[in-house]
Amino acid sequence: MPVFEITKRATFDAAHHFPNEPEGSIYRRMHGHSFTVEATVRSQVLDTEHGWVADLGALDRALKAAAEKLDHGLLNEHAGLELPSLENLCLWFVGQLQADWPGLSRIVVARPTIHERCELTL
């Protein structure tokens, strides 16, 4: 049986630091990044009324709303992001989306300018 996946991407810019790092560590100092986040929803069954997995526009709005909560802010100030690793950012986005998107199957958070990314498969 075929499996369909739809994906939307959003961007945000945010600052962070790792307070648990030793004095003098570059990671302890506050610094910022441009981020991308992708959310993928998966299904073997298409909505019979529309012939789609889910409304891409609705997924786009939900993902952008979640990213907006972080945009131009300090990641450390958000619950679950006290240690704002890419891994914890993935978990944070799952927490923001999963209740309304039960087919959520993957979150990818990246810092494209420094070629880093984390992919969480659910």
Side-chain angles (χ1 to χ4, degrees):
M1 175 172 273
V3 176
F4 301 94
E5 292 183 334
I6 60 169
T7 301
K8 289 302 289 187
R9 178 184 290 177
T11 61
F12 62 99
D13 298 300
H16 70 159
H17 64 96
F18 288 87
N20 60 329
E21 289 293 311
E23 284 295 328
S25 167
I26 62 170
Y27 301 114
R28 188 177 177 102
R29 296 187 305 222
M30 190 174 313
H31 60 284
H33 297 281
S34 293
F35 293 88
T36 62
V37 57
E38 294 180 359
T40 299
V41 175
R42 163 182 234 179
S43 181
Q44 291 182 329
V45 180
L46 299 180
D47 174 292
T48 55
E49 182 179 348
H50 299 97
W52 62 28
V53 169
D55 182 346
L56 279 163
L59 180 58
D60 186 57
R61 289 186 296 278
L63 185 59
K64 285 179 178 174
E68 179 67 24
K69 292 178 183 180
L70 303 178
D71 193 41
H72 285 82
L74 179 61
L75 297 178
N76 301 72
E77 294 176 345
H78 296 270
L81 295 177
E82 296 83 3
L83 296 176
S85 64
L86 290 175
E87 294 83 351
N88 283 333
L89 276 164
C90 285
L91 291 170
W92 187 88
F93 277 101
V94 168
Q96 296 293 302
L97 298 171
Q98 197 166 37
D100 294 328
W101 298 91
L104 187 68
S105 64
R106 184 181 315 113
I107 294 287
V108 178
V109 178
R111 296 186 285 239
T113 59
I114 57 174
H115 311 289
E116 296 177 344
R117 63 183 252 144
C118 179
E119 181 173 331
L120 174 62
T121 303
L122 304 169

